[in-house]
Amino acid sequence: PPPPPLSYKNEIAELVSSKMLTKANVCFSRDGGEPGLKYVQHLMARPDDANTIRRLMLAEDGMFFICGDGTRMAKDVTSALEDILGDGDKERGAKLVETLKSKGKILVDVWSG
């Protein structure tokens, strides 16, 4: 089946076009898309995407937004971000995530249901 309609599709495309967003990856957990890429943390872990996230966050003063379900998604995405930023050193990655959160470079807007 086709993925569900994307809320704010035009707005996201405009932000990418204007370079306000470097990239927007969208993942629908129930759309039966690419095998092994069910959740956003799986997309983030792809080597090219992980390298881009690491470069933008650590070398280019980037920002990272975690928005959505706070019950599981936010924890899983944060864990993936720690792995990516730590480049294999989870403890270093966790410290970097906390530092970037305190500087307002990682913003979290979640709900739990």
Side-chain angles (χ1 to χ4, degrees):
L6 176 60
S7 299
Y8 303 107
K9 178 180 180 178
N10 294 336
E11 290 85 348
I12 292 170
E14 187 176 312
L15 289 169
V16 171
S17 176
S18 72
K19 307 288 188 214
M20 286 293 289
L21 284 178
T22 303
K23 188 173 186 178
N25 284 338
V26 178
C27 184
F28 297 99
S29 62
R30 292 176 180 84
D31 76 353
E34 207 174 322
L37 299 177
K38 187 171 183 177
Y39 299 110
V40 69
Q41 63 269 22
H42 301 134
L43 294 177
M44 292 169 54
R46 295 184 296 193
D48 286 347
D49 289 319
N51 290 334
T52 297
I53 291 168
R54 191 177 308 106
R55 177 180 49 81
L56 290 172
M57 295 303 297
L58 301 180
E60 297 185 24
D61 200 33
M63 294 187 72
F64 195 92
F65 299 88
I66 301 172
C67 307
D69 169 50
T71 304
R72 289 194 301 198
M73 180 280 302
K75 293 172 191 167
D76 293 341
V77 169
T78 299
S79 179
L81 190 57
E82 291 170 352
D83 290 338
I84 291 165
L85 296 182
D87 200 14
D89 182 340
K90 186 73 167 187
E91 185 176 325
R92 178 177 178 268
K95 288 178 183 176
L96 285 167
V97 166
E98 285 310 309
T99 298
L100 291 167
K101 280 182 178 179
S102 72
K103 292 180 177 182
K105 293 299 179 176
I106 297 174
L107 301 175
V108 181
D109 181 14
V110 297
W111 69 87
S112 57

